[in-house]
Amino acid sequence: MSSLIRLELTRALRNRKFLFFSVIYPAALFLLIAGSASNTDKVDGTGLTLPTYMMVSMASFGALTAALTGNSERIAKERENGWTRQLRLTTLPGRGYVLAKTASAAVVSLPSILVVFAVAALVKDVRLDAWQWLLLTAAIWAGSLVFAALGVALGYVATGDAVRPITMITYFGLSILGGLWMPTTTFPGWLQDIAKWVPTHAYAALGRAIEQSQVPHASDVAVLVVSFALFTGGAAWLYRKDTAKA
C-alpha cells in the first residue's frame, strides 16, 4: 500500500492545474478578500479581525479543494479506464486502495494550509501563539480527512463524465453554506440555522475556536464525526458495490 501512496503523491504533485487550485488559489482568494481589510475591525459576533477570520476560512477551503476534488475525479476516471480492476488482481486489499487515496489527499492538503498561513502572517501581520499555529495546522489537516472520504464516495457514485459537475456542485455548496467565502453572520437568520449543520461550517469553527483560545463547541465536533462516519461508510459501501459488479 505504501507504494500506491507514493504513486498517488507523485501523480498529484505533477498535476500543475491541481496544485494551482489547491495551493495558490486559496492564498490568492485570501488576499482578494482580506488584502485591504483593517487589522483592527472585528467580524460581527466573532471577536476576530477579518484577516484572522478569513485565514482559517481559506486554509480550510484549500484543504477542502485538495481532499475533495482530487479524489473524486481521479477515482471515477480510474474506474472507467480499468485501473481499479487491475488493482483488484493484485494482493492489495480493497481497503488499501481507499486508504491510499485518502492518505495522499491528506498529504497534498497540507501545503495549501501552510501557504495560506504564511501569506496571512507575512502580508496581513496575523499573529498567534506558537501553540495556536501548531494546533490550527493539526486541526485543519486532520479535518480534511472528512472531505477526502467524501471525495472517495463521489468517485464511486458517478461516472467520469458526470463526476465533475456533481463534485463542483458539492464543492461550491459546501464552501458557500459553510461560510468559507464570507462570514455566516452576513447570512439571513434561516440560512445561518442551516449552515450550523454543514460540515465545512463546523470544520472552520474548530480553527476559529483555537484562534480565540476557546474549546471547540461539542456540536461542531459532533457534526464532523458524524459526517466522517457517513462519508467513510458510504465510500466503503459504494466500493463493495462496484467490486461486486466487476
Side-chain angles (χ1 to χ4, degrees):
M1 187 173 70
S2 60
S3 297
L4 183 58
I5 293 176
R6 286 196 297 270
L7 174 62
E8 292 295 331
L9 285 174
T10 301
R11 292 172 61 188
L13 293 174
R14 287 179 177 175
N15 189 334
R16 295 180 181 178
K17 181 180 178 181
F18 174 71
L19 288 177
F20 172 80
F21 282 103
S22 63
V23 179
I24 306 302
Y25 183 50
L29 274 182
F30 170 81
L31 291 176
L32 181 65
I33 296 171
S36 60
S38 168
N39 283 350
T40 57
D41 294 341
K42 304 294 179 66
V43 177
D44 291 343
T46 67
L48 299 172
T49 64
L50 184 63
T52 305
Y53 184 96
M54 293 306 302
M55 181 183 74
V56 165
S57 293
M58 288 299 105
S60 302
F61 176 66
L64 168 68
T65 303
L68 178 62
T69 62
N71 263 346
S72 60
E73 294 189 30
R74 195 173 299 120
I75 289 174
K77 290 177 181 177
E78 288 177 355
R79 288 172 55 225
E80 287 197 341
N81 63 28
W83 172 243
T84 54
R85 191 178 300 110
Q86 290 295 321
L87 286 176
R88 292 186 193 119
L89 300 177
T90 69
T91 57
L92 180 73
R95 66 181 181 279
Y97 177 77
V98 175
L99 288 174
K101 290 293 185 183
T102 303
S104 62
V107 172
V108 175
S109 70
L110 183 59
S112 64
I113 299 169
L114 297 178
V115 169
V116 171
F117 285 177
V119 170
L122 295 174
V123 178
K124 294 304 296 180
D125 199 34
V126 173
R127 293 290 180 265
L128 298 172
D129 292 336
W131 69 268
Q132 290 175 302
W133 287 116
L134 291 173
L135 195 55
L136 265 179
T137 302
I140 296 175
W141 192 20
S144 69
L145 293 175
V146 175
F147 306 102
L150 176 58
V152 174
L154 291 179
Y156 277 102
V157 81
T159 63
D161 292 331
V163 71
R164 176 165 291 184
I166 292 174
T167 300
M168 288 298 102
I169 291 171
T170 304
Y171 172 62
F172 286 116
L174 288 173
S175 299
I176 295 170
L177 286 177
L180 300 186
W181 289 358
M182 64 186 73
T184 55
T185 53
T186 64
F187 293 176
W190 63 271
L191 193 55
Q192 291 185 39
D193 292 336
I194 294 175
K196 292 176 182 178
W197 301 102
V198 177
T200 39
H201 180 275
Y203 182 38
L206 291 184
R208 295 191 188 109
I210 294 170
E211 287 182 320
Q212 296 169 310
S213 301
Q214 296 177 355
V215 176
H217 292 292
S219 58
D220 293 326
V221 176
V223 167
L224 288 175
V225 170
V226 171
S227 297
F228 183 68
L230 289 175
F231 297 155
T232 51
W237 179 78
L238 289 166
Y239 177 83
R240 288 194 296 269
K241 183 179 178 182
D242 189 69
T243 303
K245 286 181 180 179

